[in-house]
Amino acid sequence: MKVERHQELVQLVEQYNDLTTQQLAQLLDVSQETVRRDLRMLQKQGKIVRQHGRAKRINRGADESGDPFTARLRSHLNSKADIAHRALAWIVPGMVIALDASSTCWYLARLLPDIPLTIFTNSERICHELAKREHIQLISTGGVLQRKDACYIKAPLAVHLKSLEIDLFMFSCEGVDSNGTLWDTRSWNAEYKTMLLKRSAQSLLLIDKSKFDRVSEVRIGERVDITEIITEGEAFSVATSKV
């Protein structure tokens, strides 16, 4: 019965795009608490987006969703600059560091001193920026260039990471919900971050405060998977703080 109900629930959300918990309870002839439990499970499975008492359809064109890189550069500019400066304190010569294709990591790359580092990234903009540094060894994921997002997709990550020991993974995401789940808008972006989280000794999540208590289409991981969250004006230790 639960499997059939879940299938019907997903079909209803696909059909209507956006339904409240109350509307779903009436359509399925079950209690609102049952619907809430179902929605929590379906969100973890990546089948719906649950937000503010509503269930929303997953954008099946999720790889095309989200703002382009140029728009993200302008969003929360001062906050991202502050976060990037705070993240610099974690970097020491000789490190192997992975960066994602977020605008915050691009700001961080611009601040990096020309010291012995190895940088691994899927960002076309970061590659362009760090090509100017003589002492930084730059390793790109390669793959297909996604121009809208200025990053490479469909890269052989497993091959690259087999020979790399990542000391620190620094990344951003679309949001962290109230349960501590990390979310993104694009499946290929989430895949890159999920793999790097598993393969890195330490990881820093660099996000501005507007992204707290926010969900999106694709799950990346959980807050316990990261070492620390750095946001404007402060940092949160995973062991001692909550978003």
Side-chain angles (χ1 to χ4, degrees):
M1 289 291 293
K2 182 187 291 187
V3 172
E4 293 176 357
R5 187 175 69 249
H6 284 184
Q7 290 175 343
E8 186 176 357
L9 192 158
V10 172
Q11 289 172 358
L12 285 168
V13 174
E14 289 281 349
Q15 180 180 351
Y16 292 100
N17 191 49
D18 186 344
L19 290 168
T20 66
T21 302
Q22 182 179 7
Q23 289 170 330
L24 283 166
Q26 292 172 346
L27 290 167
L28 296 169
D29 194 24
V30 295
S31 69
Q32 290 191 50
E33 183 55 38
T34 296
V35 171
R36 292 188 190 98
R37 286 198 299 269
D38 289 347
L39 292 179
R40 284 194 291 268
M41 182 174 295
L42 290 169
Q43 179 170 265
K44 288 182 179 179
Q45 295 172 356
K47 295 181 178 179
I48 58 100
V49 173
R50 176 172 165 262
Q51 192 172 24
H52 306 304
R54 311 183 72 87
K56 297 184 178 182
R57 179 175 63 87
I58 287 285
N59 181 359
R60 294 305 174 187
D63 288 355
E64 296 300 322
S65 68
D67 295 328
F69 184 82
T70 52
R72 288 186 280 121
L73 276 179
R74 296 190 294 268
S75 175
H76 300 279
L77 174 61
N78 292 334
S79 296
K80 290 175 181 178
D82 181 39
I83 292 166
H85 276 95
R86 291 176 180 278
L88 277 177
W90 284 73
I91 297 172
V92 296
M95 270 188 163
V96 179
I97 299 170
L99 301 175
D100 76 346
S102 64
S103 55
T104 305
C105 280
W106 179 77
Y107 281 113
L108 173 64
R110 294 185 68 193
L111 296 174
L112 285 178
D114 192 5
I115 59 175
L117 294 171
T118 298
I119 302 294
F120 177 75
T121 185
N122 64 338
S123 168
E124 183 266 340
R125 295 292 184 93
I126 290 177
C127 287
H128 180 74
E129 179 65 33
L130 295 184
K132 307 168 188 176
R133 312 290 206 282
E134 292 184 3
H135 297 96
I136 293 179
Q137 181 183 27
L138 181 60
I139 304 175
S140 167
T141 62
V144 179
L145 177 61
Q146 186 88 348
R147 288 181 173 82
K148 172 187 171 184
D149 299 289
C151 73
Y152 298 102
I153 64 173
K154 300 180 181 178
L157 292 178
V159 174
H160 283 300
L161 295 175
K162 185 178 291 186
S163 59
L164 281 177
E165 294 290 335
I166 306 294
D167 298 309
L168 183 63
F169 176 40
M170 307 172 89
F171 71 106
S172 189
C173 69
E174 185 65 21
V176 181
D177 69 22
S178 57
N179 296 317
T181 301
L182 315 181
W183 295 93
D184 221 316
T185 55
R186 303 163 180 82
S187 58
W188 44 262
N189 219 357
E191 180 184 0
Y192 175 82
K193 296 172 188 181
T194 299
M195 185 173 292
L196 265 297
L197 278 174
K198 293 177 180 177
R199 296 294 301 268
S200 303
Q202 295 186 99
S203 55
L204 298 183
L205 177 59
L206 315 179
I207 57 171
D208 62 78
K209 292 178 180 177
S210 71
K211 294 184 176 180
F212 291 167
D213 296 321
R214 183 193 292 185
V215 300
S216 192
E217 283 87 352
V218 190
R219 177 185 172 276
I220 298 171
E222 301 297 324
R223 180 162 179 176
V224 295
D225 298 327
I226 58 179
T227 308
E228 189 161 297
I229 295 175
I230 297 180
T231 189
E232 63 266 38
E234 56 193 313
F236 296 91
S237 169
V238 172
T240 60
S241 304
K242 295 181 179 179
V243 171

